[in-house]
Amino acid sequence: MKITVPLLVRRYFVPLVLFAIGVFFQLVVLPNSFPASHYDVLGLERFATVEKVEDAYSKLSSKWLSSLNLPTPAEFVKIRYAYELLTNGEWKRDYDLFAIDEQRHVIDETIMRHAGESYLKVNLPLLYSNWSGSMDQDLDVLTLENFGSIVGGSKAMLTMVFSFGSHRCATFMNSWTRIGALLDGVANTGAVDVANVQLASFFAERAFNKQPIFRNGLPALIAFPPNCASSNCYIRYNGDLSVDAIIDWLATSVLGLPRILYYSKDSLVQKFFLNSGMHKIKILFFSKTGERAVPFLRQAAKEYSTYASFAMVLWKQEDSSVWWNMFQVDSAPALVIIKDPGVNPIVHYGNLNSSQFFELMEKNKYQELPQLRSTTSMALGCDAEGFSLAGSNVETWYCAILAGRPGQTLNKMRDTMRRIQKTLRDDADANGNKVSVEASAAVAAMKANRLSFAWLDGGVQKDYCLFYLHKLENIYETCGPSDYDSKDVPRLFIVRYKRNSVEHELRPKKKPNSFWSAFDKENSNLASQIVAVYNGTVDIQEVIQWISWIVEDGDKSTMHPYFIGAAPALIPEESTTFISRSTQSIFSTGNGLKDRVLDICTSLYEFRRDPRIGPMFFLASCISFGAIWVRSSSQPAHSAEVEDGTTATRNQTNRRRKTSTTDIPPSITDAVPSDAHQLLPSDSDSE
């Protein structure tokens, strides 16, 4: 039986391909993945001593001087490079222990420069080593003793692995100093010298043969997230060594801080002011360089997202008139804090450090007239479950609330309330005149932190607004969405809070008989409340006198009706509106998809140096060949003929042709004889 060649190739195609790949890997890929080491160039064994390196180079030099076996420029450059590298103690240590050879590009550059010339024209030395002096600065070098006590804390840790013999490290030192300054208050920094082999090996990557290496050379940057102290959770930086890129990577990938976006003069109002919420102050950073925000600013954007929205603006001289008219800013860098509509912004020129900026934020995190919200009611002293701004020892305190739907009418009233608040705080009006005696009670309460002011968004906080103002006529002009009524009428009311156990004990127990009395439930943790609504004009002096009368009467009288009940909960505003709309998509808490893909590609690239890959392909080829041979040998003998596709088919056709048809009985489908005729029945109508 003859088996054709195409059938044999088709049958054993897979093992043949595996065998070919194994041969290609062993003869082409693997040799090119292991270029001759610098020891091989000098004809020495691995890790030879400096003395042996000098002896080997001396022997080669003597041959060249005797005009025997003159080297080509390429040969000379490789030998000279190996000699200079392996006779420098720091370079040799880095090369032997961590395969660091950052000046290897010098070989190719020098060979190209002196191609076709004599080796004597090559300028020596090839390698420059006079840069260690630039690294003699105050580095916070970690040791095994203090490393364990620094990492694993509540702050992140950025570590740099460096070598005093590295030119790249010497060049990077100024950037490292600046990185440490920018991370002040956000993350700790530390440096590890590769001379500390045990600690440096902890930060090194591992080759296929488990040798510690730094694939991207030195300096190597490794970050420990908060509460991380092992190699299982630290994150390695593989990007550009620019300060801006490193800071952005640490803030975004390690600390999970939001980016603060840049806006132009055309997009600032539409995309920032209108989308960042009326209840927040606005923080603008004017920058000349266009660099990303430093980490402590981004940390503030995250921590103060409830109170403030942040934006960056690139300063351009041609836009200076626009910024002056809008914010009274005439140069950069500058920080602008915008607290309320119609209020002059706070402008600070120059750079701020972390402590200065957070101190400034604490002083200005509220609007001049703060908004009453779920996150501010306790801090403003406007919650029956809380206490006054003066502390828990004060029994009676007051909260003046301006309620209404956002708009021009409410903004005018907010401006009036800000002036009233400032007058009572300063005990003098805008002209410096002292407040009248009739307002002394309000001034005293203001100075004692027993009186606070706030405004309420009646559209969003409809239930809360109706709870206190439900007895007024046309209440939907103040409370509820604007589609209830086209007219907006802000209203001012004061809530007196009082904590008095006697009042609570004397209060009669009754069942709720209406929707509003359902909120009037017993709760020993709630202060009693009395509500007074202002019905006068918007004259500042008249409003101040009314507030003072309410405070004086509330402090003295105990006969007013009161209630101890929980008001409807304030609807939480989206405290991270600005972050979620503009920066949440760029939050990151670890390695992203790009980093994972890069790790996979790096691992695949490392496999080319693994000598086990070729034999694995050979083994797979043998297993596949054996499996196919066993399967084909176990088939019946006639299966080969069937596979041939010709003999079996021909035999079957011949057998069908030889089959006799004489024994087949006639059927109604046989051909009709020419002389046949049809016999008609006797009752037929035919003639």
Side-chain angles (χ1 to χ4, degrees), residues 499-607:
R499 290 191 174 276
N500 191 324
S501 59
V502 176
E503 287 185 354
H504 179 65
E505 292 175 358
L506 296 177
R507 185 171 185 267
K509 306 296 187 295
K510 60 181 181 179
K511 296 182 179 180
N513 54 14
S514 68
F515 171 77
W516 303 110
S517 61
F519 292 103
D520 193 16
K521 55 188 177 183
E522 298 292 334
N523 190 335
S524 59
N525 293 325
L526 297 176
S528 64
Q529 302 171 65
I530 299 176
V531 180
V533 182
Y534 179 69
N535 293 316
T537 67
V538 294
D539 180 72
I540 292 179
Q541 293 300 325
E542 182 178 345
V543 175
I544 290 177
Q545 291 179 7
W546 175 78
I547 294 175
S548 185
W549 180 82
I550 293 296
V551 171
E552 184 178 3
D553 185 66
D555 288 344
K556 294 180 179 179
S557 177
T558 59
M559 302 302 295
H560 293 297
Y562 61 89
F563 64 93
I564 301 178
L570 289 164
I571 298 175
E573 295 84 359
E574 188 181 1
S575 61
T576 57
T577 299
F578 169 62
I579 292 180
S580 63
R581 290 184 180 180
S582 59
T583 60
Q584 194 173 23
S585 60
I586 49 179
F587 271 97
S588 178
T589 57
N591 290 336
L593 178 61
K594 180 180 178 181
D595 294 329
R596 289 195 292 268
V597 172
L598 182 61
D599 291 340
I600 293 174
C601 293
T602 302
S603 300
L604 294 176
Y605 183 76
E606 281 297 318
F607 276 128

Side-chain angles (χ1 to χ4, degrees), residues 88-221:
N88 183 293
E90 292 177 338
W91 294 346
K92 186 177 187 301
R93 176 201 62 203
D94 298 346
Y95 179 72
D96 290 345
L97 297 180
F98 301 104
I100 297 172
D101 188 10
E102 66 180 32
Q103 301 186 74
R104 194 177 185 88
H105 61 90
V106 173
I107 297 177
D108 296 331
E109 294 174 358
T110 307
I111 291 175
M112 292 180 61
R113 190 182 308 117
H114 297 281
E117 300 178 354
S118 171
Y119 79 94
L120 296 175
K121 293 186 177 182
V122 176
N123 297 323
L124 300 179
L126 296 176
L127 305 181
Y128 178 73
S129 60
N130 190 23
W131 57 68
S132 59
S134 61
M135 299 180 65
D136 293 337
Q137 47 186 304
D138 188 17
L139 280 175
D140 184 15
V141 180
L142 300 177
T143 62
L144 282 174
E145 289 73 21
N146 61 12
F147 172 72
S149 61
I150 295 177
V151 299
S154 58
K155 280 188 178 182
M157 176 77 178
L158 179 62
T159 306
M160 175 187 66
V161 182
F162 75 100
S163 172
F164 282 105
S166 169
H167 179 253
R168 291 182 63 193
C169 292
T171 306
F172 183 71
M173 279 302 123
N174 290 333
S175 298
W176 178 251
T177 302
R178 189 180 174 207
I179 289 172
L182 293 176
L183 293 179
D184 179 39
V186 178
N188 298 320
T189 58
V192 174
D193 188 358
V194 292
N196 189 339
V197 178
Q198 185 175 355
L199 190 55
S201 298
F202 173 76
F203 293 100
E205 302 166 87
R206 293 295 183 271
F208 72 94
N209 57 357
K210 305 304 180 182
Q211 179 189 2
I213 61 172
F214 292 97
R215 288 191 177 92
N216 296 325
L218 298 180
L221 299 177

Side-chain angles (χ1 to χ4, degrees), residues 469-497:
L469 302 177
H470 65 278
K471 293 184 179 180
L472 298 180
E473 296 181 358
N474 301 323
I475 187 57
Y476 290 110
E477 295 176 347
T478 304
C479 306
S482 58
D483 55 1
Y484 279 109
D485 197 297
S486 59
K487 188 177 181 181
D488 294 334
V489 180
R491 286 182 170 86
L492 172 65
F493 63 95
I494 293 181
V495 181
R496 188 206 74 172
Y497 300 96

